[in-house]
Amino acid sequence: MSENEGRNDLRMPNDDEEFAVVTNMLGANRVKVRCADGTERTARIPGRMQKRIWIREDDVVLVEPWDWQDEKADVTWRYKKQEAEQLREEGHIQ
């Protein structure tokens, strides 16, 4: 068995994105997230994701913080449970 047998290639954050964990559902397409840099942000779920990808508490997502308001962000990607476990095993998130 090779060591990369169960590993999937996952989408990693770009320069302006970071990992986050959903802590609270706020309603109106907004969620509260705890980012990898330790900041709590209010994140917006864009319209292209609203009814196609369901986001719940404790999901691992990628967010893109706003340039003009650091306490807000946009959700750009949601990882499935298995992908989130792989990220934790590889040490990308806690």
Side-chain angles (χ1 to χ4, degrees), residues 60-82:
V60 177
V61 295
L62 282 179
V63 295
E64 184 176 343
W66 292 1
D67 294 335
W68 61 93
Q69 237 177 334
D70 193 48
E71 68 273 358
K72 294 189 180 180
D74 287 326
V75 175
T76 57
W77 188 263
R78 179 188 62 93
Y79 291 99
K80 296 176 183 166
K81 295 288 183 191
Q82 182 179 3

Side-chain angles (χ1 to χ4, degrees), residues 25 45 49-56 59 78:
M25 303 298 292
I45 302 170
M49 293 178 72
Q50 283 176 10
K51 297 203 177 179
R52 293 170 185 84
I53 299 171
W54 294 96
I55 296 177
R56 297 175 201 88
D59 278 350
R78 179 188 62 93

Side-chain angles (χ1 to χ4, degrees), residues 2-94:
S2 70
E3 73 179 56
N4 288 336
E5 186 166 320
R7 185 182 186 287
N8 294 327
D9 287 332
L10 301 177
R11 183 180 187 281
M12 298 308 268
N14 296 334
D15 294 336
D16 52 348
E17 294 176 331
E18 56 186 82
F19 291 113
V21 177
V22 177
T23 57
N24 197 3
M25 303 298 292
L26 301 176
N29 304 320
R30 300 205 183 321
V31 292
K32 189 68 105 173
V33 296
R34 187 180 66 250
C35 296
D37 62 0
T39 308
E40 287 271 335
R41 290 187 171 96
T42 302
R44 180 179 61 171
I45 302 170
R48 62 183 152 74
M49 293 178 72
Q50 283 176 10
K51 297 203 177 179
R52 293 170 185 84
I53 299 171
W54 294 96
I55 296 177
R56 297 175 201 88
E57 287 185 16
D58 298 324
D59 278 350
V60 177
V61 295
L62 282 179
V63 295
E64 184 176 343
W66 292 1
D67 294 335
W68 61 93
Q69 237 177 334
D70 193 48
E71 68 273 358
K72 294 189 180 180
D74 287 326
V75 175
T76 57
W77 188 263
R78 179 188 62 93
Y79 291 99
K80 296 176 183 166
K81 295 288 183 191
Q82 182 179 3
E83 295 170 339
E85 288 302 318
Q86 179 179 334
L87 288 171
R88 285 187 177 97
E89 288 172 6
E90 292 176 0
H92 297 291
I93 56 175
Q94 281 84 17

